[in-house]
Amino acid sequence: MADRSVHFSSLAALLLALSSLAGCGGGTAKVGAGSFNCDDANSRVICLESCNLGCTSTGCARTDIAQNEIIILQFSEDIDPASVTSSSVRFRTAAGNPPVGELFVNGKFVEFVPTLSISGGQTYFGFAPGETYTMTIIGGEEEPAVVRGTSGKPFGRTLTCTLASTNGIVDLNQVPPYATLVRPTPSQVNSAPRTTDILLEFNELIDPTPFLGGTQIPVTFSLRRTRPGIGGAIECDPASQPQTLVGSPNLTFDAARGISVLQFQPAQLLPGNVCVEIGITDGVRDMSGRSAQPDNFSFVTEVVPLEDRTIEEPFDNADFLDRESSAAKWEGGTATFARIGGDGTHGTLQALLEAILVGGVPGCTYLGVIPPVTGKRTFQISTDNTVIPEANTTTGDPISVSDGRFFFDKMVVPGDVRLRFVGNSAPVFTVVGRLDILGEIEVMGQSILAMPLTVTPSGQLGGTGGIFGGSGGQGGDKCSGVFVATQANNGRNGTDARVTGGHAYGSSVSGTGGRGSLVFPANGLNTSLYFGSTTSSPPSYCVSAVAGGSGGGYLVAGQEGRVVSNNHGSPPPLLTAMGPSAPGGNALQLFPYPVIGAQKSSVHFLVGGAGGGGSASNASFCLFSARNWAPGAGGGGGGGAIALRSGGSLRLASTGRILANGGSAANSPGGVAAGQQCAPAGGGSGGSIVLQTGTDDITLVELLGLIDVRGGLGGDFNRSSPTPITPPLGAVVVIDGGNGSPGFVRFEMPGNPTPSQLPGMLPAATTDNVATLGERDEVVACRSNFYSTGEIFGPQYVHYEIHAVVDGVPTVFSDDPAISTTPALPGAPVRALWQAATLDLVTLEPSDIRPWRTSVRSSLTQTGIASDGLNGFRFMLMVDRTFAENITIDKVIVLYRV
């Protein structure tokens, strides 16, 4: 306790009340000869009547004290403050160190109040923990440093007590710390001077440690935008994101009042007409460690005259056009929109993939690297129930996709990524701007890699179709040979090709699935099998054979499944032992394209391929002595369907692959057969790939990679019996499953695209595969880059104006009713979204990008970028052609004030 001038305390009553919280404990005290006999009115000295340590003529009853113990001494008359010093009333350790505190005089009372001291980044408070102190009150008429009354009488004789600081820090008031906003004053909170500092008073001493040596203090200071409230009064905008108010905090202590005072000086002049918020967090603690209850204060700075400024986009050039997220041209004073592109409401594909990686997208799964080590990161996306996370969307809400239609502003499939799909709908990706495929997109039908085991009773399942494609037909169940065969013993037909409802040639898909082959002999009895011998020694082999399943049809009919030949070692084939061929799946019709009243091209050509036919149960190569049958094989799945549509660039890199080929059927291993064998099945047809771009800039269209819609291959069977194969005992059987038809690719863009723009297409492109883009999307969008206001702190945004020509009529859209009663919202031919960010004033790089808003201004009924209050913004414009045929934008103006 350093020497200080003694204070007059105005809180004696409070301190006395606090002292009553300290109970009298046991213990001994070293006591001097201080007088407690104050009855002699003629005494030449004053005496100590009492103290909160239980002081008596025999000592202090309580010697164990808290670090923050307030020690109160009551004398027999009012005390002269000048006589109370750290020499006349002192506390010392054996090493001579005082506690941290101050002495106060209030009439007859002398109080020692522990307080705080900060030195070298360390905090010292009251009595040091675990230390022993000697309390000495100097007395005696001859002592120079002695406590005296206002009458001049000295304290009779010196009093000493030994005190041990063993009780830690106690919460004297037994309540959490809380703050009071002192400055600005209550009369200033609705119009505080911009020069004001902020002054908070806490009801007790608080721990200064969190306030030292760091930028994160447990009291926050931030700025929000204001908005017109009820009755026009200015209020804090709750939708405005707080921005940190930079400044210098300074924590001090008022020991006389037992409080802490926090002063915050802003680093610069406060902006006018803003809301300043002070947040008290539970990081504020009193010296006992009790946390404050979180609390908030706010005030609004004074309204100052502001200057109106505008940022105008006249569309003279594309300097501020975000080309990668736009389906529009900015030139010659007009923004014109591409025929297709959509509204980009689902954000970017990259953001969706990142969300899938962390398991945050219902309906989607990250499958890992397939194949391991050298493969690609494979993502599986559901077209039935993918939920786009709210962080990705322009609406700020999660969006469920149940029809396979995705609307991205940008879509890039990285080179190490593969996309796969599950669900009932074909995926249709409509992208506002850049659409790049560097990796792989798979919608191909499943191939069957191996024949079923010959002892399996059920026919092999066919391959699954690619998304929206038909599955391969199941193989026939194994014949018993004892009972007459049933339909279940025949190969099943593959699933027909699939089109969307209302297709102009929808009925033509009937019968496109590959046909399953029929059991032969038709009765499925062992007695009807042909062996060429009626003896079992030497062994003779069955040459009765069923046809393979046929291929799925699409643009052309699938290839038939057939028995190519069979004999007993030498030609000719035994036609009477050859089952009937399975006719290929029918061709469907796509041309001529029915322009009048037709579905959009991207829907008309979105056709899922047909599955290949399964093969029937077969008995080829069973022995005369052991007449057994094998089950049928499953057909390949039909290729799926996908549409990739861009309002801007469309690129398929040389490393990229879009696979919609049909699945192939399994081959029978070549060579010798000495028992019943499975016949092969048919391949699925290819599927469809629709590619569209709204740009007429040929430099933005590159389709160099593989585009595969080939049909799947039918299975091969070419087996012979063990030697000798001389007649009539040996056997050779050749069976073919039918190949699937190729699928179809449709590439459309403005102008006159040519087949040469599809160099990687299999099968090779023809003139049917390319056409001028004719369809139009109802909604098409473009997006700007960020505009800077040039301010450090964001300005006060007022409104927007969008000047457009709608079917030849000049029209203004605005969020300010004084400018226009038609805002650019859903239901209008022009829509707009706005997004604020903090721009680096040197590099113009954005950070702290906020959600998309539907307006610039903010009010009780809408949240605009005025609530964000940042120094930069960008916009997204959309034209809605359901309200007008021809829409162009002449200029966009944003009014703000600084």
Side-chain angles (χ1 to χ4, degrees), residues 706-726:
L706 175 64
I707 302 172
D708 192 348
V709 291
R710 291 175 295 176
L713 300 177
D716 288 332
F717 182 103
N718 188 344
R719 308 294 294 273
S720 59
S721 62
T723 54
I725 58 171
T726 54

Side-chain angles (χ1 to χ4, degrees), residues 124-187:
Y124 302 92
F125 178 48
F127 296 94
E131 276 284 7
T132 299
Y133 290 84
T134 298
M135 179 181 74
T136 303
I137 305 171
I138 301 298
E141 295 182 68
E142 304 302 324
E143 290 289 338
V146 65
V147 176
R148 294 180 181 274
T150 53
S151 65
K153 295 178 183 180
F155 179 51
R157 280 188 284 184
T158 299
L159 168 68
T160 59
C161 261
T162 301
L163 306 174
S165 176
T166 57
N167 291 344
I169 299 175
V170 298
D171 188 357
L172 296 176
N173 62 6
Q174 294 296 303
V175 296
Y178 62 85
T180 301
L181 180 63
V182 176
R183 194 163 53 238
T185 65
S187 64

Side-chain angles (χ1 to χ4, degrees), residues 37-45 77 153:
N37 180 9
C38 298
D39 295 333
D40 185 356
N42 296 317
S43 175
R44 298 191 306 274
V45 296
E77 68 174 59
K153 295 178 183 180

Side-chain angles (χ1 to χ4, degrees), residues 419-485:
L419 301 184
R420 291 178 176 173
F421 303 91
V422 293
N424 293 307
S425 301
V428 178
F429 291 97
T430 299
V431 182
V432 177
R434 177 186 176 191
L435 199 168
D436 277 10
I437 311 299
L438 309 176
E440 296 181 2
I441 297 179
E442 291 183 356
V443 294
M444 57 192 181
Q446 182 187 17
S447 293
I448 303 299
L449 302 180
M451 287 287 196
L453 297 175
T454 59
V455 295
T456 303
S458 298
Q460 185 182 38
L461 294 176
T464 57
I467 187 76
F468 203 62
S471 58
Q474 183 179 355
D477 295 344
K478 181 177 179 178
C479 287
S480 69
V482 177
F483 302 103
V484 173

Side-chain angles (χ1 to χ4, degrees), residues 405 468 498-506 598-600 603-604 606:
R405 296 186 173 271
F468 203 62
R498 188 176 176 188
V499 296
T500 55
H503 196 280
Y505 304 120
Q599 289 176 316
K600 292 182 176 181
V603 177
H604 178 80
L606 197 67

Side-chain angles (χ1 to χ4, degrees), residues 459-552:
Q460 185 182 38
L461 294 176
T464 57
I467 187 76
F468 203 62
S471 58
Q474 183 179 355
D477 295 344
K478 181 177 179 178
C479 287
S480 69
V482 177
F483 302 103
V484 173
T486 67
Q487 186 66 31
N489 301 116
N490 295 324
R492 279 74 152 184
N493 297 339
T495 303
D496 288 338
R498 188 176 176 188
V499 296
T500 55
H503 196 280
Y505 304 120
S507 61
S508 71
V509 300
S510 179
T512 51
R515 304 295 198 277
S517 62
L518 302 177
V519 169
F520 186 82
N523 60 18
L525 297 176
N526 289 338
T527 55
S528 299
L529 296 174
Y530 182 77
F531 292 91
S533 172
T534 59
T535 66
S536 58
S537 182
S540 57
Y541 297 89
C542 177
V543 292
S544 296
V546 303
S550 74

